[in-house]
Amino acid sequence: YFNIMKLAQEFFEKSLWNADGRAAQQYLKERGIDEKTAKKFAMGYAPAGWQNLLDHIERNKVPDRYAERAGLAISRREKDGFYDRFRHRIMFPIRDIWGNTLAFGGRVFARDDDGPKYINSPETAFYTKGQQLYGLYESKTSIQKSERALVVEGNFDVIALHAQGVEMAIAPMGTALTGDQARLLSRY
């Protein structure tokens, strides 16, 4: 699982910083997110297309069905095969306190995109959204030093605050703060 998620994170990051990701780079710039901050959070870009990530994973000898179990692919109903869950989106890796990527959030950035604003990885045996805090991996040292945390609404809020030097910002995973998340935060 961690190997597949690392492959996906590396693919998305590389896609953001190559020619395919220019529009996504521009969007981040418009939102006040510089390259240093984007790289700190391992942000990426899922290129448009139905098989980009799956092709990358296959080149690394990982079967498509494992990508589906990890929440990165969706099974085609009418015929055999799979397609990428995330397409033409800015990608936010959701990492545990050790920096392992557990899941992804993908946000549209094109004004003409009529899909849902966010698509998130489904829960898996390794990822339960009510047990993780977005940005805790990046914030834990600042939280320990200051003995406080700033809980904000979403991923972009966390990243924008970090870009401005407020490095104790974290966010629940699209839910109200859960008991599990509060216990996790209290460790820091």
Side-chain angles (χ1 to χ4, degrees):
Y1 182 84
F2 293 123
N3 180 45
I4 294 169
M5 298 310 271
K6 184 177 180 184
L7 285 171
Q9 179 183 323
E10 290 169 350
F11 173 78
F12 293 142
E13 279 186 276
K14 184 178 177 184
S15 297
L16 177 59
W17 303 112
N18 69 26
D20 289 341
R22 285 197 183 117
Q25 290 173 36
Q26 181 61 36
Y27 180 80
L28 292 176
K29 186 178 178 183
E30 290 168 6
R31 295 286 306 254
I33 310 300
D34 61 14
E35 184 174 340
K36 179 182 174 187
T37 303
K39 287 183 175 183
K40 174 182 178 180
F41 283 87
M43 293 178 73
Y45 168 64
W50 297 92
Q51 287 277 144
N52 294 306
L53 178 60
L54 285 171
D55 290 345
H56 175 72
I57 288 173
E58 279 182 12
R59 283 191 296 275
N60 285 276
K61 312 277 190 260
V62 177
D64 291 349
R65 68 182 182 280
Y66 291 170
E68 181 192 29
R69 288 185 202 159
L72 299 169
I74 298 173
S75 177
R76 298 180 192 273
R77 290 194 175 109
E78 300 87 37
K79 45 189 162 183
D80 292 335
F82 301 91
Y83 61 92
D84 291 348
R85 177 179 299 275
F86 301 104
R87 299 173 309 281
H88 195 50
R89 291 175 178 274
I90 291 178
M91 299 302 294
F92 302 88
I94 299 162
R95 301 192 280 191
D96 66 16
I97 58 170
W98 299 282
N100 298 309
T101 299
L102 303 176
F104 289 94
R107 188 193 193 287
V108 297
F109 62 93
R111 288 173 178 78
D112 61 348
D113 194 319
D114 60 354
K117 186 175 180 180
Y118 281 96
I119 294 177
N120 298 307
S121 292
E123 292 189 350
T124 67
F126 295 91
Y127 169 68
T128 303
K129 72 179 182 176
Q131 295 176 346
Q132 300 299 321
L133 289 162
Y134 183 76
L136 184 58
Y137 171 71
E138 296 81 6
S139 301
K140 64 186 177 183
T141 301
S142 292
I143 291 170
Q144 287 172 322
K145 284 181 184 175
S146 67
E147 297 183 350
R148 65 186 69 194
L150 178 60
V151 180
V152 297
E153 183 180 3
N155 303 358
F156 261 120
D157 301 322
V158 170
I159 294 167
L161 285 165
H162 277 251
Q164 298 302 315
V166 181
E167 296 187 340
M168 77 265 297
I170 56 167
M173 306 303 304
T175 65
L177 190 68
T178 68
D180 287 338
Q181 290 168 329
R183 280 187 289 283
L184 176 62
L185 181 57
S186 73
R187 293 169 37 191
Y188 298 93

